[in-house]
């Protein structure tokens, strides 16, 4: 497991992986790479092709403006470019979306954007919605009426995507999130 931010910026990471390739061990190893994708390029992807398989995990917390506000830096365009670089590879990929009050109103636009890019169309990529549980940011603390409107908006977007290959990629927690958005305050 290679964990980031960006694991490839760590001193010695590439040398370590090169040693595994040189020793002939790479072809038997499955890598799980948690990365912000900032250093991924064709040369790196060719090198990583020496390993048995790769499971990629990265974070995108919304559409461009929302993601860059939450992450406090301009990285969205590079992340999308690098996601497209990974398209068509025989590897699994999860986009983790950290759901909070900062981006809950952006979920529908984010889902539509991701569908338009085609990044998730091949069925080996998915979005995992993880709820930020910080009391100041947790979406369950929003007023009930607002949560119902958000639930309706997300449900409408999902219904529009239901017959696409993209919809099948939304397997992690979206039903649970919609259910909890509809719960009355005494549920919590």
């Amino acid at each position: 497991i290679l964990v980031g931010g960006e694991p490839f910026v760590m001193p010695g990471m590439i040398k370590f992986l090169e040693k595994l390739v040189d020793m002939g061990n790479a072809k038997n190893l499955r890598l799980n790479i948690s990365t912000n994708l900032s250093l991924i390029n064709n040369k790196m992807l060719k090198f990583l092709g020496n390993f048995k398989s790769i499971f990629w995990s990265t974070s995108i917390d919304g559409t461009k403006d929302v993601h860059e506000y939450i992450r406090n830096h301009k990285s969205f365009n590079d992340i999308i470019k690098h996601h497209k670089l990974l398209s068509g590879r025989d590897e699994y990929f999860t986009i983790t979306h950290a759901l909070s009050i900062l981006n809950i109103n952006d979920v529908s636009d984010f889902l539509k954007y991701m569908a338009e890019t085609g990044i998730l169309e091949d069925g080996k990529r998915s979005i995992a919605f993880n709820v930020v549980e910080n009391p100041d940011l947790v979406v369950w603390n929003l007023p009930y009426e607002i949560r119902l409107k958000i639930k309706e908006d997300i449900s409408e977007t999902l219904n529009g995507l239901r017959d696409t290959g993209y919809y099948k990629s939304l397997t992690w927690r979206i039903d649970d999130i919609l259910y909890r958005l509809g719960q009355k305050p005494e549920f919590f």
Side-chain angles (χ1 to χ4, degrees):
I1 297 176
L2 309 179
V3 180
E6 182 48 62
F8 299 112
V9 79
M10 291 186 279
M13 180 59 68
I14 298 299
K15 288 184 190 249
F16 170 71
L17 294 173
E18 287 172 342
K19 184 106 172 143
L20 292 172
V21 171
D22 293 343
M23 292 170 41
N25 293 331
K27 64 181 180 269
N28 299 316
L29 295 175
R30 294 181 174 126
L31 293 181
N32 185 337
I33 303 173
S34 176
T35 172
N36 63 22
L37 293 179
S38 62
L39 297 178
I40 300 299
N41 56 44
N42 284 321
K43 181 180 177 184
M44 174 69 69
L45 291 176
K46 184 176 180 187
F47 169 73
L48 291 173
N50 289 298
F51 289 83
K52 182 175 183 176
S53 64
I54 299 175
F55 180 88
W56 298 88
S57 178
T58 190
S59 296
I60 303 178
D61 293 331
T63 54
K64 184 180 190 313
D65 290 342
V66 172
H67 174 83
E68 291 182 349
Y69 174 79
I70 291 170
R71 296 290 171 161
N72 201 23
H73 55 83
K74 299 198 180 306
S75 62
F76 186 84
N77 290 339
D78 285 339
I79 290 171
I80 296 302
K81 179 177 84 176
H82 294 142
H83 272 277
K84 290 179 180 178
L85 191 62
L86 292 169
S87 293
R89 294 176 60 89
D90 190 27
E91 300 163 349
Y92 288 90
F93 203 106
T94 295
I95 295 168
T96 302
H97 187 282
L99 191 63
S100 74
I101 62 170
L102 299 175
N103 59 8
I104 188 71
N105 283 315
D106 185 57
V107 170
S108 287
D109 289 339
F110 171 72
L111 295 172
K112 290 173 192 172
Y113 176 81
M114 293 306 291
E116 290 168 9
T117 65
I119 289 171
L120 301 174
E121 286 294 329
D122 68 6
K124 290 192 172 194
R125 283 140 175 81
S126 63
I127 296 177
F129 288 93
N130 289 333
V131 178
V132 173
E133 296 292 345
N134 177 315
D136 294 331
L137 298 174
V138 69
V139 297
W140 320 133
N141 288 341
L142 290 170
Y144 178 64
E145 295 76 24
I146 292 174
R147 286 189 285 116
L148 286 179
K149 174 148 180 22
I150 293 167
K151 176 184 177 183
E152 181 181 316
D153 185 44
I154 294 170
S155 295
E156 185 178 306
T157 298
L158 288 172
N159 285 334
L161 298 171
R162 192 165 300 280
D163 294 328
T164 68
Y166 176 74
Y167 178 82
K168 296 173 186 124
S169 296
L170 299 173
T171 56
W172 294 23
R173 302 214 45 209
I174 195 70
D175 290 332
D176 177 53
I177 290 165
L178 290 173
Y179 174 78
R180 289 187 69 189
L181 283 171
Q183 294 300 303
K184 294 193 180 218
E186 55 269 13
F187 175 74
F188 303 105

